[in-house]
Structure formats: structure tokens, C-alpha cells
Amino acid sequence: MNLHEYQGKEILNSFGVRIQRGIVAQTPEEAVAAAKKLTEDTGTGWHVIKAQVHAGGRGKGGGVKLAKNLDEVKSIADQIIGMDLVTPQTSAEGKRVHQVLVAEDVYYPGDNEPEEYYMSVLLNRGTGRNMIMYSTEGGMDIETVAEETPHLIFHEEIDPATGLLPFQARKIAFNLGLSGGAFKEMTKFVYALYTAFEKSDSSLFEINPVLKTSDDKIMAVDAKVSLDDNALYRHKDYAAMRDVREENPVEVEAGEKGLNYVDLDGNVGCMVNGAGLAMATMDLIKQAGGEPANFLDVGGTADAERVEAAFQLILKDPAVKAILVNIFGGIVRCDRVAQGIVDAYKNMGTISVPIIVRLQGTNADIAKELIDSSGLDVQSAIEFQEAADKVQAVLA
Ligand code: GDP
Ligand code: MN
């Protein structure tokens, strides 16, 4: 589950990671009140107004702006709230901004050399260990840094048996070219950041930029935090941070219906039971010259209701040119699934794209018979290859 910047910073702050202080606002009036409060608390005169959407690159898209007085806070907030923010990480339509973070300006006026670093914490799947990835090239798109100056990106792997060791935090501060007070501050920052990552059961932290101010404070100016969904049950307060407005509406609807659905870019919709078979089916579609339009695992009980819900989800995607149903009847008998498909089809009236159904397992032959004699525009198959050939034929 992805979080907004302001929520990620709340979590960081709760573990002692220094952050750029801010208050979230839903309206320009709230933004002004937030700015006044921040001035009282921190003495800041200038504020940054930051669009809160689940996408990076907001600065480039005009979603991060500096306000030098309360009038500017109001007019900038007014401009950003409600806009469709387009960034290098959004679609061309952009993302609607519902709220802004009003934050203290931490790039002091007259401070000519604020240093910006990049730091992330994530799992290295190759070694099965968490790692801290960091770079002197902060504030930039890290993919560009990786491409053009890969020697400026460093990695530090953490042994799960010992956790982050003090020498590792010092090594990071050293590689970032720090000394004196800033060096000490950075080791504390790294330590707190890693602790926050572990304790919050996160799967990704990306802090870009980490800022060093001219008075040697180290703080997180931005925060991208992804939590591990499978650990949310032990963080009820984090689970409540979910903002479904930021998620794909079809995926949210699927979740409510207990279907495991991931939207993809292709032209063949697939309905499968079991994640492994779903992956294999996506390979099959590719081999037949198509591209999967989605990943959809309907789970163990493929009854008429679930099948119909699944068809409806798949058909919301206008790119879908064919649907491949690939169900293994183990727990549920194939003839029951076939009946479910026939019932769902009849219930929905007409389905405008060809459907290929492959049922294998208990009573597969009865199921095929049921589909073939239904009089509906549905093709049946029992073998994998047969299904692939039929998909190929309808796409041709
Ligand atoms: P992103 O574009 O979505 O990654 O959003 P960031 O939070 O990283 O902000 C973008 C850029 O805005 C940063 O790289 C900073 O250079 C700048 N910025 C962020 N906070 C401040 C601030 O307090 N003062 C000033 N002057 N610039 C800031
Ligand atoms: Mn950033």
C-alpha cells in the first residue's frame, strides 16, 4: 500500500527521523491556517505548498511551489488543489489533487549550497537482505543517475542477524562526503530511518531529497513510503491511511468483491483460478501473439456470481478483444463452473467479445458438453494448446 508524502513523514517522525515539518490542508483557507501555525511553531516565514498524490516528479509538474507570504500560500493552494497534476510518473490525464502539504521552507534564503542526497531502503530480492541505496545526486530522477553516473550510487546491505551496524551508518555518511556535525547527524538519520523501515514493515522508503542545511541539519524533504500489505494487520493505524481515491477504481472494486485483479495494458482478458495458473495463462496468451489485459484470480469458488463479477470487471477495459477463461476444476467441479459461465453469460445479455473457455479437471468433458450445447458464442477447449490456438485465431 502506497502512502502520501505527509503520511510517510508522520511515520518517519514517529521513529525520530528528522523531517521537513508540515500540515496537510484540504482547502486554501486550511492552507493559510496551517502556514500560520507553522510560523508560530518553527519561525518560518516562507512555506512550500506540495500536492499530495501518489506519484513522484511533482516538482517538475508544478505541484511543488514556494510561497513567500500568506497571500501566496492562499493563491498557490487554490491553484494546486483540484488540479490534474501531470508528472513524468502519471498518465497524460494526470492525477486529481485533493489536498496539499503546507511545509516550512527549509532551503534557507541566502543558503547557496543546500546539499541534496538520495536515500532509499528496500529489499534486495537477489540476496534476500534489506539494503540502503544512496547517492550524492539527490533531488534528481534516480533512474537518470543510474544510467548516466552509476558510480555515484552506493549500496549497503544489512545482515538480518545483526541489523544495521554503527560502522555501516558511518560508511554511508563518509561516502556522502560529510564531516563534523553533519557526519554525526547523518549517522543518526540513517539509523532512525532504518529502524523506521523495519518497525513499520515497509517494503520501500525513498527519500529524495535528503537535505543538509547550512547549519548541518539532516532531514527528509520528501518521503515515498510503501507498506507491506501482508503486515498491515499489525498496524491498524497505518491501514487507516489508505486513500482509495489514489488507486485504480477497477482494482478497488475487484478487491471489494474478493477478486484478485491487476489491470494491465494488453488486449486479452483472462479469468483464472489460482495465481500460478494465472501467471501461466498470461504466458500462454503472449505465446499466442496476444498481450494480457489483466491478471485475475477468481479464487477457489468459481460460481455464477463470481464469474459474472469477473466478466464485468474484464469488460470495463475497452482494449479487451477476447477473453480467455482458464479454470482448473479441483475443489470446484468443472461442470459447475461451466454452468456458472453459461448463467453469467445469459444474465449479462450479450458479450461483445469472443470468449474461449478452457476447463480442465473433474468433469471437464461434461463441462465442455455443457458449453458446446448452450448455443452461446463461447468456444471451449480442454488442452492448453487448443485454447492458445483459439485465442490466436480470434485475434488474427
Ligand atoms: P517530487 O518532485 O514529487 O519528488 O517532490 P519533492 O518533495 O522532492 O519536491 C521537489 C523539489 O522541490 C525538491 O527537490 C526541492 O528542490 C524543492 N523543495 C522541496 N521543499 C522545499 C523547500 O522547503 N524550499 C524550497 N525552496 N524548495 C523545496
Ligand atoms: Mn522527491
Side-chain angles (χ1 to χ4, degrees):
M1 182 176 93
N2 294 332
L3 297 182
H4 286 295
E5 174 195 2
Y6 80 94
Q7 296 167 322
K9 282 179 168 172
E10 263 172 40
I11 294 179
L12 295 183
N13 186 45
S14 73
F15 289 98
V17 180
R18 193 196 295 272
I19 55 165
Q20 175 191 36
R21 293 272 309 277
I23 299 171
V24 72
Q26 322 281 333
T27 63
E29 293 70 31
E30 279 181 31
V32 170
K36 283 184 183 156
K37 176 92 175 67
L38 285 169
T39 302
E40 275 170 32
D41 291 355
T42 68
T44 185
W46 293 5
H47 299 87
V48 261
I49 315 296
K50 311 179 80 178
Q52 297 298 289
V53 290
H54 287 190
R58 295 164 301 168
K60 286 192 190 111
V64 178
K65 291 204 164 138
L66 187 63
K68 294 183 179 155
N69 55 53
L70 291 179
D71 285 343
E72 287 185 12
V73 169
K74 188 155 184 201
S75 63
I76 293 170
D78 190 40
Q79 182 202 334
I80 294 181
I81 296 171
M83 82 186 285
D84 293 318
L85 180 63
V86 179
T87 85
Q89 294 185 17
T90 67
S91 65
E93 296 88 62
K95 286 205 118 172
R96 178 65 49 92
V97 182
H98 299 286
Q99 49 194 355
V100 289
L101 178 65
V102 181
E104 59 171 328
D105 174 29
V106 284
Y107 292 62
Y108 308 134
D111 183 350
N112 297 322
E113 292 188 7
E115 292 283 345
E116 292 182 324
Y117 312 108
Y118 172 93
M119 191 170 294
S120 58
V121 190
L122 69 165
L123 176 68
N124 179 348
R125 289 177 190 278
T127 59
R129 291 181 174 191
N130 290 334
M131 67 177 178
I132 299 174
M133 206 161 94
Y134 60 103
S135 174
T136 49
E137 306 305 288
M140 295 176 48
D141 180 21
I142 197 66
E143 282 78 16
T144 312
V145 180
E147 222 164 84
E148 291 169 6
T149 47
H151 60 284
L152 296 178
I153 298 182
F154 303 93
H155 305 261
E156 190 65 32
E157 292 228 348
I158 291 99
D159 186 331
T162 59
L164 178 72
L165 294 169
F167 87 88
Q168 295 183 293
R170 288 198 298 271
K171 185 168 142 200
I172 292 171
F174 180 79
N175 281 338
L176 289 174
L178 298 173
S179 59
F183 183 98
K184 256 194 179 154
E185 283 285 317
M186 181 57 84
T187 59
K188 273 196 255 170
F189 182 90
V190 169
Y191 198 80
L193 190 71
Y194 189 71
T195 306
F197 179 81
E198 278 203 316
K199 294 260 165 72
S200 61
D201 288 312
S202 287
S203 47
L204 173 71
F205 274 7
E206 188 178 52
I207 316 298
N208 189 20
V210 173
L211 177 73
K212 178 179 90 69
T213 62
S214 51
D215 57 354
D216 283 349
K217 284 195 194 111
I218 305 290
M219 70 176 83
V221 163
D222 193 5
K224 176 176 178 177
V225 170
S226 296
L227 301 170
D228 180 351
D229 291 341
N230 296 312
L232 279 179
Y233 72 96
R234 37 186 202 192
H235 303 283
K236 297 280 186 286
D237 47 338
Y238 297 169
M241 291 177 168
R242 182 164 178 208
D243 186 350
V244 291
R245 291 176 302 191
E246 297 292 324
E247 297 175 20
N248 179 318
V250 182
E251 290 178 12
V252 172
E253 190 186 334
E256 282 161 4
K257 291 181 170 144
L259 301 166
N260 207 340
Y261 177 95
V262 181
D263 205 15
L264 300 169
D265 294 331
N267 54 0
V268 182
C270 33
M271 185 191 312
V272 189
N273 65 337
L277 188 59
M279 299 297 280
T281 305
M282 288 160 65
D283 287 347
L284 182 83
I285 288 168
K286 282 208 157 204
Q287 224 167 20
E291 284 287 334
N294 65 277
F295 168 98
L296 173 56
D297 173 11
V298 293
T301 51
D303 55 17
E305 206 181 318
R306 282 177 90 78
V307 170
E308 188 176 332
F311 272 133
Q312 260 157 4
L313 282 175
I314 293 172
L315 289 167
K316 283 195 176 166
D317 182 349
V320 167
K321 297 282 173 284
I323 298 177
L324 173 58
V325 180
N326 190 5
I327 304 256
F328 177 75
I331 300 168
V332 56
R333 292 183 343 241
C334 290
D335 53 319
R336 289 203 48 191
V337 179
Q339 192 61 52
I341 292 168
V342 171
D343 291 349
Y345 198 110
K346 286 184 176 158
N347 241 343
M348 291 177 70
T350 50
I351 294 180
S352 51
V353 299
I355 298 177
I356 295 104
V357 178
R358 182 229 178 201
L359 292 162
Q360 183 58 279
T362 312
N363 290 353
D365 43 351
I366 304 175
K368 185 169 174 14
E369 183 63 37
L370 233 159
I371 300 254
D372 291 345
S373 63
S374 67
L376 300 175
D377 186 16
V378 180
Q379 305 182 45
S380 66
I382 289 185
E383 297 305 326
F384 230 176
Q385 191 56 52
E386 203 185 341
D389 293 343
K390 288 188 169 167
V391 170
Q392 199 158 25
V394 300
L395 288 180

